Amino acid sequence: MTLRARLTVLYAALFGGSLLILSLVVYLVLRVSLLRQVDSLLLHTADSMVDVLRVDSTGRIIFSHAPDVNVAVQAQVWGRDGRLHDTLMNIIQDTQPLDPSGLQSNRPTFRDVYRRGQHLRVLSVPLFVGGRWMGTLEVGANLAVVDATLENTLIVQVIAAAGLLLIAAFISWLAIGHTLKPLDTVTATAMQINRADDLSQRIPYQGRPDDEIGRLIYAFNQTLERLELLFTTQQRFLADVSHELRTPLTIIKGNVDLMRRMKTLDEEALVSIDQEANRLKRLVGDLLLLVQAESGRMRLNMAPVELDTLLLEVFQEMRVLAGEKIHLHLTDIDQAIVQGDRDRLKQVLLNLVSNAVQYTPPGGDVFLSLDKVGNQARLVVRDTGPGIPKEDLPHIFERFYRAEKSRHRSSDGGFGLGLSIAHWIVDHHGGTIEVASQEGEGTTFCVWLPLLQEEENLSEEG
């Protein structure tokens, strides 16, 4: 059974149950109301009859004259000896008690009695003379009209309930179908995506975006968008890895073929093979590091880190790398302590400074500085290189993304993974990394890290 059919049956069952309860309540209220009217009539009639009763010379209780009562009412007067003293039968004559059990009652009682195919409502009233019980007056009314009214009401309720139930089921079927129609669209879109492998499709929805269906479709579209992004990123990742692997492997194979043809070892070819092997080693290392970072398996050994000491280490190491080609300057340094992984933070600084040195032309300058701004430490790496095009700035932290238009790089060039790893490290230290660049004027990277609490307190006291 489909969801639409199950919901229709459920709603119809709930509606039918409500109708049943309502009909039962109406039926019972009507019955009680009609019986109260009959009981009121019997009480009034009994009072009128009691006023015209008298005891004759033989001790029998009889009507002194015929009372003015409803023609549908019949009455009997019974003595305490169980004998019938007098009757008032407007319908049929009967010498049997209307309600045998009521003859022994010491207080007025109402009972429903079935006798001779008739349904009677009988009121039994004990008669007292001078405080002494003398007999019983029984007044009865035929309930044929009441029964017919209740029966007709029940028939009308059944027919009306059946009709309303069918109408409610039909309306529910249409309403549920209209409500669930977007789910058919979701299913059709999912099937189409599955057949065509096209994650760019989205599910259209014209209803309210804040209802259950709207939120479901929004979440589904968000999932499609995420899957499309991941799929595109995966394709680009595989293409970039293939390219980065192909270039050094091609160089290595070419040099090996050259030495095979020469049948001798060539020092220049061996140096080239060694350089490309080192490039492959760095690529594999960066890839493993990035996979560990993104999968959550890379642990950070958090401890207090003196950023000023760390920056001096990086400055000394990179000054050797820059040599006479680039002028490396330490313009400003302040004492700052953060909670972090010293090796990973050093990796961030080495990556930023090595990039600045690599892309700055000979004779250019690279400036390093460290200061405290509020409750954060700010590390700045600024170069006087060619800068990064404006359209490339939003993508420089993506994997394998490089701002230069050509993929051809020198043997000591990177793979476009360093900034992605640096961004992950800074982010997992609770910090941020920013970049500002102007073509022809250079690039500035700023790393913001939260100060250690003790260091922050000392800074505020100072």
Side-chain angles (χ1 to χ4, degrees), residues 22-86:
L22 179 61
S23 299
L24 182 60
V25 170
V26 170
Y27 181 85
L28 292 177
V29 169
L30 178 61
R31 184 178 186 278
V32 170
S33 177
L34 293 175
L35 288 180
R36 281 182 178 178
Q37 294 181 25
V38 173
D39 292 347
S40 177
L41 173 64
L42 293 176
L43 278 174
H44 177 73
T45 302
D47 290 340
S48 300
M49 289 182 175
V50 169
D51 292 338
V52 298
L53 287 175
R54 67 180 179 84
V55 180
D56 63 7
S57 58
T58 62
R60 298 174 65 244
I61 304 173
I62 61 174
F63 293 105
S64 61
H65 61 271
D68 185 14
V69 296
N70 192 296
V71 296
V73 174
Q74 46 191 316
Q76 293 177 335
V77 180
W78 293 86
R80 62 181 179 179
D81 55 359
R83 295 170 57 192
L84 179 63
H85 288 190
D86 202 354

Side-chain angles (χ1 to χ4, degrees), residues 166-187:
L166 290 176
I167 294 173
F170 179 70
I171 294 176
S172 298
W173 175 266
L174 295 180
I176 293 172
H178 178 74
T179 303
L180 297 180
K181 187 176 181 180
L183 296 183
D184 294 333
T185 305
V186 172
T187 304

Side-chain angles (χ1 to χ4, degrees), residues 102-126:
L103 297 180
Q104 306 302 321
S105 177
N106 59 0
R107 59 186 179 84
T109 57
F110 290 96
R111 285 190 180 87
D112 283 359
V113 177
Y114 292 89
R115 56 195 305 271
R116 297 187 177 183
Q118 289 185 335
H119 182 198
L120 303 177
R121 182 72 167 174
V122 179
L123 169 62
S124 299
V125 180

Side-chain angles (χ1 to χ4, degrees), residues 287-341:
L287 285 174
L288 288 175
L289 184 63
L290 192 60
V291 169
Q292 289 177 351
E294 293 186 345
S295 63
R297 295 197 302 269
M298 186 171 74
R299 295 183 179 179
L300 297 176
N301 300 316
M302 308 298 281
V305 178
E306 297 179 352
L307 284 183
D308 50 322
T309 303
L310 185 63
L311 184 60
L312 285 173
E313 290 182 14
V314 173
F315 175 73
Q316 296 294 337
E317 294 177 10
M318 296 309 298
R319 190 165 62 175
V320 175
L321 177 65
E324 300 296 329
K325 172 187 171 185
I326 303 297
H327 304 296
L328 194 61
H329 308 277
L330 187 58
T331 58
D332 186 20
I333 186 168
D334 195 359
Q335 290 185 340
I337 301 176
V338 299
Q339 186 78 6
D341 188 319

